[in-house]
Amino acid sequence: MPPRALPRTLPKSAPSPSPTFKPGRSYPEQQRAAAHLPKLPILYDDAAVVAVDKPYGLVSQAGKTDALSIEDYLPGLNTSYGLPPPHPLHRLDRSTTGVLLLSRNPSAASTLSRQFRQHTIQKTYLALAQRSASPRRTQDTEGLCRAPLRVGAEGRVRVLEDKKDKGESDVAETEWKELGHHPELNLSLLLLRPKTGRKHQLRAHCAHLGLPILGDRLHGIAALTPALRALHKKSDKQIFLHARELAFQRWEKTPQGKAKMRWISVKAPIPKAWRPLLERAGFMGFEELQEDWGSAETKVVEGEVVGELD
């Protein structure tokens, strides 16, 4: 039996689409409690798209393990507009926190998936990293990393040292900037903007630069400095990589029947687990960290009218 097509229009009983949202809103308490699930904040919500703040440890796609995944939350996401549950449009590693985007209907899924493939969607990450002792570590504090990446037979991502062996599928680019560094802790705050979407791209590129992400045992330094371990008991397990902001394009139908394109930028709050490290390193004053802790932010940038909607 073929799958039932998702409705492309809202039922009469549902509210009309609106760019308004409630930062930090959580799933209905009864549904969450019945499933024994922890709360998952919603950062943005409309009739076509929903963005959630993925915590550390939550899997983006259910697998062979019994680990809690975003799919466990999908039934609770269909309450706002009376539509079937949404589906994730991309993945974040289990250890990565921050903005995760989901679609509510096939049209939105098609449009946004195309933006992901064409790298139109703008993604900004923050990471806490350590400077390695390797003589190959970059001496720059910002730049564009173009190191090609390939997934090996064992599933581990590695940088291709011989660029003659590089294929189109190996191309990977990341804009990066070291916002600050604390020598005693050997702790750096990095701003990362991936231009491609390869597996473990940010982790592999940071390690290649000699700035491995804190807690990354696969690509980076296994042992933390004593000063860092004293600040955070879970530092040996947690990877400090956060999907801080995601900006995507959305169509909006005006009262005159015109199609207006606008940018929607969704920003996830900095994880509270980062705060002791940020305060100790003196990073709290950076503009990239300015916000009310525990709150979300969504910015809508209006675009020009570009055509008609049917």
Side-chain angles (χ1 to χ4, degrees):
M1 182 177 179
R4 181 172 64 88
L6 299 181
R8 293 181 179 273
T9 58
L10 294 177
K12 294 182 179 180
S13 59
S16 58
S18 171
T20 59
F21 65 99
K22 298 179 180 179
R25 182 171 63 82
S26 298
Y27 295 111
E29 188 69 20
Q30 291 182 343
Q31 287 188 335
R32 183 194 64 78
H36 305 287
L37 299 176
K39 291 184 178 180
L40 183 66
I42 296 177
L43 304 174
Y44 178 83
D45 188 10
D46 65 24
V49 179
V50 57
V52 300
D53 186 6
K54 190 190 90 63
Y56 168 79
L58 185 67
V59 179
S60 296
Q61 185 177 30
K64 298 180 181 179
T65 68
D66 294 330
L68 187 66
S69 78
I70 189 65
E71 295 184 16
D72 294 313
Y73 287 89
L74 297 183
L77 275 168
N78 65 345
T79 56
S80 297
Y81 297 96
L83 298 173
H87 296 280
L89 290 164
H90 61 121
R91 300 180 186 180
L92 292 177
D93 290 343
R94 180 175 180 175
S95 55
T96 303
T97 57
V99 183
L100 183 68
L101 195 63
L102 304 92
S103 65
R104 290 190 181 278
N105 59 59
S107 178
S110 176
T111 300
L112 292 168
S113 294
R114 182 166 58 251
Q115 292 182 39
F116 273 107
R117 290 194 304 271
Q118 297 175 348
H119 309 299
T120 306
I121 286 181
Q122 300 174 5
K123 294 177 284 186
T124 301
Y125 289 74
L126 291 175
L128 291 177
Q130 293 179 287
R131 289 182 178 178
S132 73
S134 170
R136 299 179 61 183
R137 178 177 65 82
T138 179
Q139 299 302 306
D140 297 328
T141 57
E142 61 181 298
L144 176 64
C145 181
R146 291 194 174 97
L149 302 176
R150 181 173 294 178
V151 181
E154 73 286 358
R156 181 173 178 176
V157 177
R158 62 183 179 87
V159 172
L160 288 179
E161 299 296 342
D162 185 0
K163 295 186 178 180
K164 295 180 180 179
D165 191 35
K166 183 181 69 173
E168 185 176 348
S169 62
D170 304 317
V171 174
E173 294 185 350
T174 302
E175 286 185 1
W176 67 278
K177 183 177 182 180
E178 187 179 43
L179 299 174
H181 179 74
H182 192 283
E184 179 186 351
L185 297 175
N186 187 23
L187 187 68
S188 294
L189 177 64
L190 304 182
L191 180 71
L192 307 169
R193 291 195 173 99
K195 299 303 179 183
T196 52
R198 306 302 179 209
K199 178 181 178 181
H200 290 187
Q201 174 177 320
L202 299 181
R203 295 166 62 180
H205 272 177
C206 286
H208 176 71
L209 291 168
L211 296 167
I213 296 176
L214 184 63
D216 187 356
R217 291 177 175 271
L218 187 61
H219 302 92
I221 301 173
L224 303 178
T225 61
L228 282 178
R229 187 176 291 108
L231 285 172
H232 196 293
K233 296 180 180 179
K234 297 181 180 179
S235 292
D236 279 331
K237 296 181 180 180
Q238 183 169 356
I239 296 178
F240 288 80
L241 179 62
H242 179 62
R244 172 64 161 161
E245 187 171 4
L246 191 148
F248 56 95
Q249 295 177 340
R250 285 276 282 112
W251 291 102
E252 182 181 71
K253 190 172 183 179
T254 67
Q256 294 76 28
K258 299 285 187 178
K260 182 166 59 177
M261 177 68 78
R262 61 192 174 111
W263 279 96
I264 295 179
S265 177
V266 182
K267 185 181 293 185
I270 305 297
K272 292 182 179 179
W274 288 40
R275 187 159 194 165
L277 300 174
L278 296 172
E279 289 181 338
R280 176 66 177 81
F283 294 155
M284 294 293 290
F286 287 108
E287 180 181 354
E288 291 78 6
L289 301 178
Q290 296 308 301
E291 64 176 14
D292 293 328
W293 281 81
S295 66
E297 179 183 343
T298 297
K299 177 173 56 180
V300 176
V301 182
E302 297 291 348
E304 61 178 325
V305 175
V306 295
E308 299 281 353
L309 278 179
D310 295 331

